[in-house]
């Protein structure tokens, strides 16, 4: 039976134990940082490679602030310390066979469990979204979401007796082609919806069950909200409404409000049932653990005291962290990064664009291009084509390492517009965008072509899913044409 002492009766021995405990916690944190150092290095590189928006830093900062707010009730048990340390060790040992994103998720989860953050589902969600997942979501889920959005918009238009047909992610209305471009796939809306759900859950200290419901609801509502957004934008693209940036942005905000409203309602409704306040008094029991008395606020009833057990770091946990801290840098340095073997024929000597065929004159690769080519499963070459530049990337299999040119230019410091699908005079569809830096503006066209049957894709995600389903249609060639304005 625990006797709760008044705050004024806390002994000097307890005060000294608290100070020594804080000192001991410094060492586990240093071991943890060493153990996840490969993840930190990968995270920094991903933020600067142009493929992800650095919005993850916002969710990470918000998670840290809210964890600090709730620090008095996030003490981890001895079981949680052991589990967290083992997860961090597993992430270090998995460098050899697990993809970086999965290792990072395992490492972040391990650190969160180690410090008791797993007791707040919203905080765990914010930490998961702090990883650079936007580019991966766009790569794997972008095209399926675009097709779903186009199909939903077609059904709504047909209800209004509009003659419309769909091919992939494009709609034909009155002889005009309206495409659901990558920027309108709904991936960014999905990320923002999940971030809003997790932030509301963490702010209101919502339970795991309610947080899971909010996350699932955010995912489900993104599809109809994005369909409605695409449906309304069709009228703008087809000339029924006058094009306006204000109208375009307003439609996006209205669509997002459809998702945000029910999430806010659930968070506010469930907040009062799980809010907890931590008592200011503690009493140490035994040599390793201590009991903490917390007061639970009950809606419609009286308050009650609940005692939970928290733990200090044991020698076994410290040993796990030290092993992880030693293994992680060694495995990260020693793991080879060899590209996949390719069986691609010789480089083409000419190139056709806009119906014009001109010879290709090889250009010397830059340091950035040579570094990228080392880990690229295929070949990469740059050529002069008339007054323009042509970059060819050739692959023998579906690969995640094929990035859109827009991401590569952003990583080089260029500001870019969203990519749109256009039909060039020479036939064929291309993704087009503009890129600018230091007063220099480039007009970029790109697509991916099968060298076997001539099929073409304007989106990396669409090509990836096709290459996965039809691997014998390769090799493929990513064509990028860059002209200066």
């Amino acid at each position: 039976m625990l006797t709760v002492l008044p705050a004024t009766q806390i002994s000097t021995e307890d005060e000294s134990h608290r100070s020594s405990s804080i000192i001991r916690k410094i060492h586990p944190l240093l071991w943890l940082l060493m153990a996840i150092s490969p993840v930190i290095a990968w995270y920094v590189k991903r933020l600067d490679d142009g493929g992800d928006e650095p919005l993850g830093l916002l969710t990470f900062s918000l998670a840290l602030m809210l964890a600090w707010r709730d620090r008095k009730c996030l003490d981890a048990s001895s079981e949680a310390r052991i589990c967290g340390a083992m997860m961090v060790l597993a992430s270090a040992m998995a460098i050899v066979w697990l993809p970086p994103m999965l290792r990072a998720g395992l490492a972040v989860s391990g650190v969160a469990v180690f410090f008791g953050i797993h007791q707040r589902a919203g905080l765990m969600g914010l930490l998961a979204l702090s990883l650079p997942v936007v580019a991966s979501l766009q790569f794997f889920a972008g095209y399926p979401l675009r097709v779903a959005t186009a199909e939903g918009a077609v059904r709504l238009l047909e209800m209004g007796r509009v003659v419309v047909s769909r091919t992939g992610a494009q709609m034909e209305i009155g002889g005009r082609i309206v495409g659901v471009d990558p920027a309108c796939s709904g991936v960014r809306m999905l990320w923002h919806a999940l971030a809003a759900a997790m932030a509301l859950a963490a702010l209101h200290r919502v339970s795991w069950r309610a947080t899971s419901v909010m996350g699932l609801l955010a995912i489900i509502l993104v599809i109809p909200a994005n369909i409605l957004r695409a449906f309304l934008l069709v009228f703008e693209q087809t000339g029924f409404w006058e094009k306006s940036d204000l109208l375009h942005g307003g439609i996006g905000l209205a669509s997002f409000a459809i998702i945000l409203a029910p999430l806010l309602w659930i968070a506010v409704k469930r907040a009062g049932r799980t809010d907890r306040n931590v008592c200011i008094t503690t009493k140490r029991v035994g040599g390793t653990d201590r009991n903490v008395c917390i007061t639970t606020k009950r809606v419609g009833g009286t308050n009650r005291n609940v005692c939970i057990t928290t733990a200090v770091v044991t020698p076994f946990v410290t040993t796990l962290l030290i092993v992880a801290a030693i293994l992680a840098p060694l495995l990260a340095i020693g793991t080879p990064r060899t590209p996949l073997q390719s069986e691609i024929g010789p480089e083409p000597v000419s190139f056709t664009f806009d119906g014009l065929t001109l010879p290709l004159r090889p250009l010397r690769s830059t340091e950035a291009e040579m570094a990228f080519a080392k880990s690229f499963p295929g070949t990469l070459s740059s050529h002069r084509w008339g007054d323009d530049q042509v970059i060819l990337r050739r692959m023998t299999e579906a690969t995640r390492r094929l990035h859109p040119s827009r991401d590569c230019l952003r990583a080089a410091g260029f500001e870019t517009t969203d990519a749109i699908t256009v039909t060039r005079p020479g036939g064929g569809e291309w993704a087009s965008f503009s890129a600018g830096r230091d007063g220099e503006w480039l007009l970029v066209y790109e697509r991916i072509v099968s060298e076997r049957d001539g099929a073409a894709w304007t989106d990396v995600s669409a090509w990836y899913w096709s290459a996965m389903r039809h691997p014998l249609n390769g090799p493929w060639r990513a064509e990028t044409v860059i002209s200066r304005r």
Side-chain angles (χ1 to χ4, degrees):
M1 190 70 182
L2 176 65
T3 303
V4 180
L5 302 177
T8 56
Q9 297 182 16
I10 298 179
S11 64
T12 305
E13 180 182 354
D14 288 336
E15 290 288 352
S16 62
H17 168 70
R18 184 181 303 171
S19 300
S20 62
S21 176
I22 293 175
I23 294 175
R24 284 198 297 271
K25 286 182 179 179
I26 295 176
H27 298 286
L29 181 59
L30 291 177
W31 291 123
L32 282 170
L33 289 176
M34 290 180 62
I36 65 173
S37 57
V39 172
I40 296 174
W42 166 83
Y43 182 85
V44 173
K45 290 180 180 178
R46 277 295 299 265
L47 288 180
D48 193 43
D49 71 353
D52 285 276
E53 301 285 351
L55 295 176
L57 295 176
L58 296 179
T59 57
F60 181 74
S61 301
L62 180 59
L64 290 183
M65 289 189 294
L66 294 178
W68 179 258
R69 181 199 65 176
D70 297 340
R71 64 190 181 280
K72 293 183 178 179
C73 56
L74 292 179
D75 288 330
S77 65
S78 56
E79 292 81 4
R81 297 282 197 198
I82 295 174
C83 182
M86 293 183 69
M87 293 173 70
V88 172
L89 177 60
S91 71
M93 297 177 63
I95 289 176
V96 179
W97 64 84
L98 271 187
M101 185 68 74
L102 296 182
R103 296 201 316 266
L106 189 59
V108 169
S109 299
V111 174
V113 171
F114 187 88
F115 289 108
I117 297 176
H118 65 286
Q119 300 173 47
R120 291 282 186 264
L123 294 179
M124 293 295 289
L126 287 174
L127 289 176
L129 291 171
S130 69
L131 298 175
V133 297
V134 175
S136 297
L137 284 174
Q138 190 68 264
F139 192 93
F140 293 108
Y143 184 69
L145 284 175
R146 290 168 60 197
V147 172
T149 300
E151 178 64 21
V154 166
R155 297 305 176 191
L156 289 178
L157 290 168
E158 288 178 343
M159 292 174 61
R161 300 186 182 277
V162 177
V163 179
V164 58
S165 61
R166 179 186 66 84
T167 302
Q170 294 184 334
M171 297 170 284
E172 182 177 354
I173 306 173
R176 298 190 61 178
I177 300 295
V178 179
V180 180
D181 296 313
C184 299
S185 65
V187 168
R188 292 179 185 174
M189 182 182 290
L190 174 61
W191 187 92
H192 284 90
L194 287 172
M198 296 303 106
L200 289 171
L203 284 168
H204 294 279
R205 302 185 180 94
V206 174
S207 67
W208 266 94
R209 178 181 297 180
T211 302
S212 301
V213 171
M214 292 172 63
L216 182 61
L217 186 61
I219 295 173
I220 293 174
L221 290 178
V222 160
I223 295 178
N226 201 45
I227 288 174
L228 178 61
R229 176 173 176 264
F231 168 73
L232 295 175
L233 290 177
V234 162
F235 293 97
E236 182 185 58
Q237 295 295 324
T238 53
F240 287 99
W241 295 339
E242 184 178 352
K243 290 186 178 182
S244 169
D245 292 338
L246 182 61
L247 177 62
H248 194 99
I251 291 174
L253 290 175
S255 302
F256 189 73
I258 297 175
I259 305 172
L260 189 59
L263 297 179
L264 180 60
W265 179 78
I266 294 176
V268 173
K269 184 178 180 181
R270 301 294 297 182
R273 299 185 182 183
T274 58
D275 190 25
R276 292 181 174 181
N277 293 332
V278 180
C279 296
I280 62 172
T281 58
T282 64
K283 182 179 179 181
R284 187 184 180 200
V285 179
T288 58
D289 292 345
R290 57 175 180 158
N291 288 339
V292 180
C293 180
I294 63 176
T295 300
T296 304
K297 200 181 294 181
R298 302 180 66 190
V299 177
T302 58
N303 293 344
R304 61 192 176 101
N305 289 336
V306 180
C307 293
I308 60 176
T309 300
T310 61
V312 297
V313 179
T314 62
F316 175 66
V317 173
T318 302
T319 302
L320 290 176
L321 296 181
I322 292 175
V323 172
I326 295 174
L327 282 179
L330 292 178
L331 291 176
I333 296 174
T335 301
R337 296 290 187 267
T338 56
L340 301 176
Q341 295 296 324
S342 61
E343 299 178 357
I344 299 178
E347 290 287 344
V349 296
S350 62
F351 183 76
T352 302
F353 179 67
D354 281 354
L356 179 63
T357 301
L358 293 175
L360 289 172
R361 293 175 291 171
L363 294 175
R364 186 174 182 179
S365 299
T366 64
E367 293 184 4
E369 290 173 344
M370 289 188 291
F372 182 78
K374 290 181 180 179
S375 60
F376 186 71
T379 64
L380 185 150
S381 59
S382 181
H383 309 267
R384 178 66 61 191
W385 185 81
D387 295 330
D388 299 333
Q389 181 181 0
V390 171
I391 298 175
L392 301 178
R393 292 173 287 174
R394 309 173 75 196
M395 305 77 61
T396 57
E397 60 183 37
T399 173
R400 175 64 180 86
R401 295 184 183 275
L402 179 62
H403 295 279
S405 302
R406 178 172 175 267
D407 295 345
C408 300
L409 288 170
R410 288 177 59 197
F414 284 85
E415 295 183 2
T416 63
T417 60
D418 288 331
I420 60 174
T421 302
V422 298
T423 301
R424 297 300 300 169
E429 295 179 342
W430 295 73
S432 174
F433 64 91
S434 298
R437 183 182 65 180
D438 299 332
E440 177 187 18
W441 281 94
L442 308 175
L443 184 59
V444 183
Y445 296 95
E446 65 175 343
R447 67 176 181 178
I448 305 169
V449 179
S450 169
E451 295 186 352
R452 182 175 297 274
D453 60 12
W457 300 265
T458 60
D459 175 50
V460 175
S461 177
W463 164 79
Y464 178 82
W465 286 107
S466 177
M468 288 286 290
R469 294 193 304 268
H470 308 288
L472 298 181
N473 284 353
W476 298 270
R477 183 176 66 248
E479 303 173 343
T480 303
V481 181
I482 303 176
S483 59
R484 286 172 171 78
R485 290 185 174 181

